[in-house]
Amino acid sequence: MLKKRVSLRDIAEKAGVSTALVSYVLNGKKNRVGKEMTDKIRKIAEELNYEPHHVAKSLRSGKTFTIGLIIADISNPFFANIARVVEDEAKQYGYTVIIGSSDENAQKSWDLLHVLLNRQVDGFIIVSAENSQKNILLLKEKKIPFVLLDRHFPDIHTDFVTTNNYKASYDATVHLLGNGYDDIALIAYDSDMYHMQERIRGYHQALSENHIVPRKEWLKKVPFSDMDTRVRIAIDALTTGTKPVRAILFATYGLAINGLKYINEKKIKVPDDLAIVSYGQAEVFDLYYCPISYIRQPLEQLGKTAVEMLISKLKNPDETMKQVFMEAKLIARDSSVPVRVKTPG
Amino acid sequence: MLKKRVSLRDIAEKAGVSTALVSYVLNGKKNRVGKEMTDKIRKIAEELNYEPHHVAKSLRSGKTFTIGLIIADISNPFFANIARVVEDEAKQYGYTVIIGSSDENAQKSWDLLHVLLNRQVDGFIIVSAENSQKNILLLKEKKIPFVLLDRHFPDIHTDFVTTNNYKASYDATVHLLGNGYDDIALIAYDSDMYHMQERIRGYHQALSENHIVPRKEWLKKVPFSDMDTRVRIAIDALTTGTKPVRAILFATYGLAINGLKYINEKKIKVPDDLAIVSYGQAEVFDLYYCPISYIRQPLEQLGKTAVEMLISKLKNPDETMKQVFMEAKLIARDSSVPVRVKTPG
């Protein structure tokens, strides 16, 4: 067992097909070989303990057929799910994905980049951490193909695919205004990242266009590292006093989860006491007693497009740069239904 | 920028400390260097664009200071969170983790193993997919250090750290019986994996010890690949007919999420119509209108122990094998409170 190296020809003979067809199937190229034949060839390969000879293949082609994916936080379901999409899509092209998580930490993302560089991945897909610009500059300097996913740095000219966050916040705010909520708060991260700035800008713009002067105390910026405590403080400030807000827009999934837990504790009723819209998508929003309206980022399309862009760049390194903004979609549900006039008592 | 290689000595000089101390800090050894000094040294290293010379280090030591982590499904929050723990812990020892996800697919886990092997990781931590025994046999044959995490194969002698799943199911079932529920169903995966078999065995044992003959139709085995539809069919069967069950134990988080969605659709009231206990842990269980009782697996301890075991094995490859079972803890909440006698009407 596992002694003699099994060749493509061995598999082809056993399957009664051409070596080319076996190669086609086992390299996972997008193809029109029927599922039955694909399964048969894969099964025989497995029975024979076929080991694809990555090293030999990479020596011939100079490629390793491996993509390095650096995500910002593996414990965030948005990134975990996008990683799954990237893997599935890369597999269609015969690429394997190895993943590192930077935990939103610039130093860690720098270390990871080097670990993966030393392991000779063909290219990178990166969800950048804050202050990690020098990673990008290094890749550009070394002329290593990469695509930024979900987040980008507007001052650095790169390929990227991201959500139009400005528009998403704008739409969510207009939706709340349209349903009769006028005092609308935004709880965001205290971050210089462009996507977060855009989420704030869209919110401000929607208020201004509707002749509402955004009050400074409506925008709460919470540090990622102390989210739990600081979201509570923010909600206390927003929901008490003489003029409590009528709606909160959460700029991330993590902020919303922490916020909803505290809102439950305080026995604030959604949407009667407080309307909610949030970024992110997760089972929690479906199963909450009052289904939460959310901004659905095009997770599947973002992941797929990043892979397609990278593969295309690997084939043709001189290709023109691509910068893709995708639209998020507001999914309106019970947590932001039109204001109900309270009956007295 | 990034031209001349920065040495540890450069950093030491700038920080006014010894080169040894800088090495100590930057290699991330568990240490007693104060946080302030650690931060200072890291900051200087970053300012100088210090690049740890992994390759040179690995040539000297024969080590790459990299751990390959293969998880069963990155989109499952249990594994995504355990990956986060493994990374944090590995970092304490100066190791970087690169991750692959097998999507519960034996072929994919085989491919991933080879991709990571070719990239010279020092050792592996693996959450095994079903039918992936040959991965383990290959690692044993090649004498590559590894630790199995969360799942193991009882017929293959290896190091592993896992939850005592038998005991966890047993405890959950006894809890339900003690609270007055006697017709208890189990929805599990249709899987040969040992951990799943143990979850079933504990449930059966608890019923038998309490003089309840487990009815065959109470155990629903659902294939992973068709979970959505099949959970609905199972719940329909369990909650209708002449003798609907009074409680359901879900053997995984994914099963519970699908189940709860359908239970909501059917307007079944938890716990009055149906009590619920589930494996897994997630925000959903906290934020559900009736907080869900769950089996808390020792996620943090499992991840940490796997890293410690692997590091110790890397230092001393002849170390005796270790097989660790950890206890899960039942967190009883509203979804399984003692049966309330219904008032008529």
Side-chain angles (χ1 to χ4, degrees):
Chain A
M1 189 183 172
L2 296 169
K3 298 258 158 67
K4 178 187 163 290
R5 173 167 292 282
V6 174
S7 71
L8 292 180
R9 182 174 298 172
D10 297 332
I11 299 167
E13 269 174 19
K14 193 150 181 197
V17 299
S18 71
T19 311
L21 184 65
V22 172
S23 161
Y24 206 50
V25 167
L26 294 183
N27 284 308
K29 302 278 160 55
K30 267 194 170 167
N31 61 56
R32 291 181 187 167
V33 181
K35 186 173 170 350
E36 204 174 320
M37 180 55 78
T38 305
D39 288 349
K40 182 180 174 188
I41 289 171
R42 283 198 172 276
K43 191 149 177 287
I44 292 171
E46 192 167 354
E47 279 163 14
L48 297 176
N49 281 314
Y50 170 69
E51 295 184 45
H53 204 166
H54 288 291
V55 174
K57 193 160 76 172
S58 79
L59 285 178
R60 274 201 311 277
S61 66
K63 294 200 168 173
T64 63
F65 296 95
T66 311
I67 293 172
L69 170 66
I70 300 181
I71 55 180
D73 181 6
I74 196 172
S75 66
N76 177 330
F78 179 74
F79 297 128
N81 283 313
I82 219 167
R84 174 72 187 259
V85 172
V86 167
E87 282 189 322
D88 285 349
E89 185 68 10
K91 186 150 185 67
Q92 301 293 317
Y93 291 94
Y95 279 76
T96 303
V97 176
I98 55 185
I99 307 166
S101 168
S102 69
D103 301 346
E104 302 281 4
N105 177 310
Q107 180 62 43
K108 200 165 169 188
S109 76
W110 179 249
D111 294 346
L112 264 173
L113 186 74
H114 285 82
V115 165
L116 293 177
L117 274 175
N118 286 333
R119 277 172 184 70
Q120 294 164 313
V121 298
D122 291 340
F124 285 90
I125 295 175
I126 299 178
V127 181
S128 297
E130 195 173 6
N131 300 321
S132 67
Q133 286 90 330
K134 69 173 176 173
N135 292 16
I136 310 307
L137 296 174
L138 180 68
L139 289 175
K140 277 173 77 97
E141 189 182 299
K142 290 189 185 255
K143 297 198 188 311
I144 293 164
F146 68 95
V147 173
L148 300 189
L149 174 57
D150 188 54
R151 302 172 177 180
H152 73 288
F153 300 101
D155 299 338
I156 310 179
H157 196 53
T158 61
D159 293 80
F160 65 77
V161 51
T162 181
T163 304
N164 185 339
N165 286 291
Y166 166 80
K167 175 99 180 358
S169 278
Y170 179 91
D171 289 349
T173 309
V174 166
H175 160 75
L176 284 165
L177 291 168
N179 280 354
Y181 304 95
D182 41 11
D183 298 348
I184 304 169
L186 171 65
I187 302 186
Y189 285 140
D190 187 9
S191 162
D192 290 336
M193 291 292 289
Y194 184 71
H195 72 284
M196 196 53 65
Q197 297 304 319
E198 285 291 277
R199 289 180 189 186
I200 296 170
R201 191 168 69 89
Y203 155 80
H204 277 151
Q205 182 65 23
L207 291 178
S208 304
E209 279 185 16
N210 286 277
H211 314 294
I212 294 171
V213 181
R215 293 167 66 149
K216 198 162 168 286
E217 64 269 28
W218 286 350
L219 173 62
K220 298 293 181 191
K221 291 186 176 181
V222 165
F224 178 75
S225 54
D226 191 24
M227 199 190 329
D228 192 6
T229 317
R230 294 288 292 276
V231 166
R232 288 165 169 262
I233 295 171
I235 289 175
D236 277 337
L238 292 169
T239 57
T240 51
T242 51
K243 198 149 172 36
V245 299
R246 279 295 287 120
I248 295 180
L249 172 60
F250 288 102
T252 74
Y253 165 79
L255 292 166
I257 295 302
N258 280 283
L260 288 173
K261 279 185 189 166
Y262 190 52
I263 284 168
N264 279 2
E265 267 180 48
K266 291 190 74 159
K267 304 205 186 302
I268 295 172
K269 289 258 176 328
V270 178
D272 290 328
D273 299 338
L274 189 67
I276 303 282
V277 176
S278 179
Y279 273 81
Q281 62 215 72
E283 281 101 2
V284 171
F285 294 163
D286 300 335
L287 286 168
Y288 194 64
Y289 69 87
C290 167
I292 300 293
S293 303
Y294 65 96
I295 292 163
R296 186 165 71 197
Q297 293 156 275
L299 187 149
E300 190 94 6
Q301 277 310 106
L302 287 170
K304 283 191 177 180
T305 306
V307 173
E308 281 163 16
M309 282 167 66
L310 181 61
I311 301 281
S312 153
K313 228 179 149 65
L314 290 172
K315 284 196 185 132
N316 178 10
D318 298 324
E319 209 176 51
T320 325
M321 225 162 245
K322 277 204 206 86
Q323 306 189 323
V324 181
F325 286 94
M326 291 186 167
E327 295 292 302
K329 188 166 191 292
L330 181 75
I331 309 294
R333 302 198 293 182
D334 294 355
S335 71
S336 58
V337 289
V339 171
R340 286 184 276 236
V341 180
K342 279 189 186 173
T343 47
Chain B
M1 191 183 169
L2 296 170
K3 297 259 158 66
K4 179 186 163 291
R5 175 167 291 282
V6 174
S7 71
L8 292 180
R9 182 173 297 168
D10 297 331
I11 300 167
E13 269 173 19
K14 192 148 182 199
V17 299
S18 72
T19 312
L21 184 66
V22 172
S23 160
Y24 206 51
V25 167
L26 294 184
N27 284 306
K29 301 278 158 54
K30 268 193 168 163
N31 62 53
R32 289 180 189 165
V33 182
K35 184 172 171 353
E36 204 174 322
M37 179 55 79
T38 304
D39 287 349
K40 180 179 176 188
I41 290 172
R42 284 197 170 276
K43 190 148 178 287
I44 291 171
E46 192 167 353
E47 280 164 13
L48 298 176
N49 281 314
Y50 170 70
E51 295 185 44
H53 204 165
H54 287 291
V55 174
K57 194 159 77 171
S58 78
L59 285 178
R60 274 199 313 278
S61 66
K63 292 197 170 176
T64 63
F65 296 95
T66 312
I67 294 172
L69 170 66
I70 299 180
I71 56 181
D73 181 6
I74 196 172
S75 65
N76 176 330
F78 179 75
F79 297 127
N81 283 311
I82 219 167
R84 174 72 188 258
V85 172
V86 166
E87 282 190 322
D88 286 349
E89 186 69 9
K91 184 145 186 72
Q92 300 294 315
Y93 291 94
Y95 280 76
T96 302
V97 176
I98 54 186
I99 307 168
S101 169
S102 70
D103 301 346
E104 303 281 5
N105 176 311
Q107 180 63 43
K108 198 164 170 190
S109 76
W110 179 249
D111 294 346
L112 264 173
L113 186 73
H114 286 83
V115 165
L116 293 176
L117 274 175
N118 286 334
R119 276 168 185 73
Q120 294 163 312
V121 299
D122 291 341
F124 284 90
I125 295 176
I126 299 177
V127 181
S128 297
E130 195 174 7
N131 300 321
S132 67
Q133 285 90 332
K134 70 172 177 174
N135 292 17
I136 311 307
L137 296 173
L138 179 68
L139 289 175
K140 278 174 76 97
E141 189 182 298
K142 291 191 184 252
K143 297 198 187 313
I144 293 165
F146 69 96
V147 173
L148 299 190
L149 174 58
D150 188 53
R151 303 173 175 179
H152 73 290
F153 301 101
D155 299 338
I156 310 177
H157 196 52
T158 60
D159 294 80
F160 65 77
V161 51
T162 180
T163 305
N164 186 338
N165 286 292
Y166 166 81
K167 175 105 182 354
S169 278
Y170 179 92
D171 289 350
T173 309
V174 165
H175 161 75
L176 284 165
L177 290 168
N179 281 354
Y181 304 94
D182 40 13
D183 299 348
I184 304 169
L186 171 64
I187 301 185
Y189 284 139
D190 187 9
S191 161
D192 290 336
M193 291 293 288
Y194 184 70
H195 72 285
M196 196 52 64
Q197 297 303 318
E198 286 290 278
R199 290 180 189 185
I200 297 171
R201 193 169 68 89
Y203 156 78
H204 277 152
Q205 181 66 21
L207 291 178
S208 304
E209 280 186 16
N210 286 277
H211 315 294
I212 293 171
V213 182
R215 293 168 66 152
K216 197 163 167 290
E217 64 269 27
W218 287 350
L219 174 62
K220 299 294 182 192
K221 291 186 176 180
V222 165
F224 178 75
S225 54
D226 190 24
M227 199 187 333
D228 192 7
T229 317
R230 296 289 294 273
V231 166
R232 288 165 168 261
I233 295 171
I235 289 175
D236 278 335
L238 292 169
T239 57
T240 52
T242 52
K243 201 154 169 31
V245 299
R246 279 295 288 120
I248 295 179
L249 172 59
F250 287 102
T252 74
Y253 165 78
L255 292 166
I257 294 302
N258 280 284
L260 289 172
K261 280 185 189 165
Y262 191 51
I263 284 166
N264 279 2
E265 266 179 49
K266 291 190 71 158
K267 305 205 186 302
I268 295 171
K269 290 257 175 333
V270 179
D272 291 327
D273 300 337
L274 189 68
I276 303 282
V277 177
S278 179
Y279 273 82
Q281 63 215 70
E283 281 101 3
V284 171
F285 294 164
D286 300 336
L287 286 169
Y288 194 63
Y289 69 88
C290 167
I292 301 293
S293 304
Y294 65 95
I295 292 163
R296 186 165 71 198
Q297 293 156 275
L299 187 148
E300 189 95 6
Q301 277 311 106
L302 286 169
K304 283 190 177 179
T305 306
V307 173
E308 281 164 14
M309 281 167 66
L310 182 61
I311 301 281
S312 154
K313 229 179 149 65
L314 290 172
K315 283 194 186 135
N316 178 10
D318 298 324
E319 210 177 49
T320 326
M321 225 161 243
K322 277 205 207 86
Q323 306 189 323
V324 181
F325 286 94
M326 291 186 165
E327 296 291 301
K329 190 166 188 292
L330 182 75
I331 308 295
R333 303 197 294 183
D334 294 355
S335 71
S336 59
V337 290
V339 171
R340 288 184 274 235
V341 180
K342 281 191 185 172
T343 47

